[in-house]
Amino acid sequence: MLRKKWWLIATALVVLAGVSYFVLAGESSSVNIPVTVRKGDFRSVITSPGELQAENTTYISAPSDLMSNDIYEEIKIQDMIPEGTIVKEGDYVATLDPAVVSKKISDFQTQLTSASTTLSQTALDTALTLREARNNMLNLEFQVEQKRIALELSKFEPKATIRQAEIDYEKAQRDITEAKQNYTIKQRQAEAKMIQAANSLSRFQRIISDLDDLRSRFRLTANKQGLLVYIPDRMSGGKKKAGSVVRSWDPKVAMVPDLSSMISKTYINEVDISKIKKSQTVDIGLDAFPEVKLTGVVMNVAGIGENRPGSNAKVFEVNIMLDRVDTILRPGMTTSNRILESKVANQLMIPIEAVYAEKNTSFVYLKKGGTIIKQEVKLGKSNEEEVIVLKGLQENDQIYLNEVASAKDDDIKKI
């Protein structure tokens, strides 16, 4: 019985050792992957995501005179035809909700009625005031005539009586002169009041007419033939469609892009922007169609940075002109842009993940004969995938991407 137990234990140990050997061997073979040091053209590339846009785009917008008509409220898009519809010039595209404008028209019509009443009242008041002034002048003219007659009749009276008659006549003449001057002033006042009331009435009539004209243009049509494309809504984060809103400072509703010439718009961070130059070549990929490979050139680089949503860092807009267009391309598609900063021929290169550092010394795990050593390397330029080796390795050397445990604690072999 005891001998049988020992045989079972021994068998279990052998099986466990075998399993451990194959597992560890499998791990070692899968982890310590050798790669070959190669020589070729090194490409320094700056990669950045972007978005396709037509170089030339015609926008369909709400009327441009919203702000001049004091329309600052949001205007709802009541209806819009489906995105991707082929439209001709003059075809119906969308309708804006006229509720905001209609309310303003109603408010101004109330003010128009009040202004019309004011004009009528002003006309009546003016007529009454001037009639009273004319009657007063007529009475004063009678008084002047009476005083003149009294003066003539007093010529046989004592000197004091004659003097009093002269004074009364002169006063009556002054009164009629003053009344005529006052009448002229009242006429001017009446004219000014009538002009003011008429101008107020005319202003409200003009405002209502302008608002009526504005409301009549809330039915939007295509201004050229092409493919209708919805545009991004910066407030909601989606696209403008039926139910979205436009504003006086953001009146665009949709666009009809010219698909014969397209650009990829991207944003480069402030660290790399100095490396981007006009006419640099670019490899362009499409997230929607990974198999499609396009090329282009840098068309222009923004001179002033900006802050993009979700980031505090400054970025600079870069527009890349596509060398050719394809029928599958649509504005708004996400692109990957690999901008070629520089190209250096006949360089020794290794994968960047094969490089390790220890006390400011760069090294790789180099296969040397039957052993693996830590070999110091002097490095040059790098991109996202590879780095140039200036010293320490030769073409076709075998190095390892992953850390080699057996050589981890060894000293670094100097160049």
Side-chain angles (χ1 to χ4, degrees):
M1 188 69 179
L2 186 60
R3 182 180 297 178
K4 186 176 182 181
K5 280 186 178 182
W6 277 109
W7 273 106
L8 288 173
I9 292 172
T11 303
L13 288 174
V14 170
V15 170
L16 181 62
V19 170
S20 300
Y21 174 79
F22 285 111
V23 169
L24 292 174
E27 286 183 357
S28 177
S29 62
S30 62
V31 172
N32 294 329
I33 304 172
V35 294
T36 302
V37 178
R38 72 180 188 90
K39 184 173 283 189
D41 294 339
F42 175 79
R43 294 163 56 90
S44 180
V45 174
I46 297 170
T47 302
S48 178
E51 182 178 289
L52 276 184
Q53 293 186 359
E55 182 185 10
N56 300 305
T57 297
T58 300
Y59 288 95
I60 300 169
S61 302
S64 59
D65 52 350
L66 287 174
M67 194 174 293
S68 63
N69 281 285
D70 293 329
I71 305 295
Y72 300 102
E73 297 89 343
E74 294 180 339
I75 305 292
K76 187 176 180 180
I77 301 173
Q78 206 169 51
D79 176 61
M80 185 148 63
I81 62 176
E83 185 176 28
T85 302
I86 301 296
V87 294
K88 297 178 182 178
E89 184 175 354
D91 282 356
Y92 168 78
V93 172
T95 300
L96 302 180
D97 187 352
V100 172
V101 178
S102 295
K103 183 179 183 304
K104 281 192 176 290
I105 290 175
S106 177
D107 293 342
F108 280 115
Q109 281 175 335
T110 301
Q111 296 182 58
L112 177 65
T113 302
S114 176
S116 179
T117 302
T118 299
L119 179 62
S120 300
Q121 187 65 48
T122 302
L124 292 173
D125 292 345
T126 298
L128 182 61
T129 300
L130 292 180
R131 187 176 69 176
E132 289 176 352
R134 286 193 299 271
N135 289 337
N136 182 50
M137 284 192 299
L138 185 60
N139 292 333
L140 290 174
E141 286 175 353
F142 286 140
Q143 288 183 19
V144 169
E145 183 63 19
Q146 288 174 344
K147 300 301 180 184
R148 185 187 66 77
I149 293 172
L151 178 60
E152 288 181 359
L153 293 175
S154 68
K155 60 182 177 180
F156 300 109
E157 299 292 332
K159 289 183 178 180
T161 303
I162 294 172
R163 181 56 187 156
Q164 183 62 52
E166 288 175 346
I167 292 172
D168 290 343
Y169 179 61
E170 290 174 0
K171 183 176 182 301
Q173 285 182 318
R174 287 198 306 271
D175 287 346
I176 188 63
T177 300
E178 183 178 351
K180 287 180 178 179
Q181 291 174 345
N182 289 341
Y183 181 76
T184 301
I185 292 172
K186 287 180 179 179
Q187 276 186 314
R188 292 176 181 173
Q189 287 178 333
E191 289 175 359
K193 288 180 180 179
M194 286 297 295
I195 290 172
Q196 183 179 16
N199 285 343
S200 179
L201 180 67
S202 177
R203 184 172 71 88
F204 289 128
Q205 288 173 333
R206 187 176 62 254
I207 290 173
I208 291 172
S209 175
D210 290 344
L211 288 172
D212 271 329
D213 175 64
L214 175 66
R215 184 171 58 181
S216 71
R217 290 181 278 120
F218 272 22
R219 184 182 186 276
L220 307 181
T221 58
N223 40 20
K224 67 171 291 186
Q225 181 174 339
L227 179 76
L228 183 81
V229 178
Y230 290 175
I231 62 174
D233 188 343
R234 289 178 288 180
M235 298 299 289
S236 69
K239 286 187 174 183
K240 287 186 179 179
K241 55 184 182 298
S244 301
V245 297
V246 295
R247 308 158 189 87
S248 57
W249 49 269
D250 181 24
K252 294 176 181 176
V253 174
M255 62 182 175
V256 180
D258 179 1
L259 301 182
S260 64
S261 178
M262 303 196 73
I263 62 173
S264 174
K265 178 182 285 189
T266 185
Y267 292 88
I268 304 298
N269 64 62
E270 56 190 327
V271 176
D272 292 327
I273 192 60
S274 61
K275 305 172 186 176
I276 306 299
K277 309 294 180 187
K278 188 176 179 180
S279 300
Q280 286 175 330
T281 59
V282 186
D283 291 328
I284 303 168
L286 298 174
D287 286 7
F289 301 98
E291 70 281 3
V292 175
K293 303 300 179 185
L294 303 169
T295 58
V297 295
V298 174
M299 185 171 66
N300 53 57
V301 181
I304 299 176
E306 59 181 281
N307 289 106
R308 297 290 292 170
S311 173
N312 293 324
K314 290 282 186 182
V315 293
F316 293 76
E317 182 181 312
V318 174
N319 289 318
I320 301 163
M321 174 66 72
L322 272 65
D323 291 334
R324 65 177 180 85
V325 295
D326 195 291
T327 54
I328 64 172
L329 301 184
R330 291 290 182 271
M333 284 184 171
T334 302
T335 61
S336 60
N337 305 280
R338 293 172 54 84
I339 304 172
L340 180 61
E341 177 203 351
S342 61
K343 182 177 178 181
V344 186
N346 200 32
Q347 296 296 308
L348 210 59
M349 294 175 288
I350 60 173
I352 201 165
E353 61 263 36
V355 179
Y356 294 84
E358 188 176 293
K359 296 180 180 179
N360 299 322
T361 300
S362 297
F363 69 91
V364 297
Y365 288 98
L366 173 65
K367 185 177 181 182
K368 197 77 169 176
T371 62
I372 299 173
I373 65 171
K374 292 163 67 175
Q375 174 64 52
E376 180 186 6
V377 288
K378 184 178 180 181
L379 305 175
K381 282 187 174 182
S382 65
N383 56 28
E384 292 183 342
E385 298 175 354
E386 295 181 307
V387 60
I388 294 175
V389 178
L390 302 176
K391 290 183 180 179
L393 294 175
Q394 294 180 351
E395 186 178 5
N396 296 323
D397 278 348
Q398 295 285 303
I399 62 172
Y400 291 91
L401 294 178
N402 299 94
E403 189 175 61
V404 179
S406 61
K408 180 179 178 181
D409 298 325
D410 294 350
D411 293 332
I412 298 173
K413 182 182 178 183
K414 300 296 182 179
I415 297 175

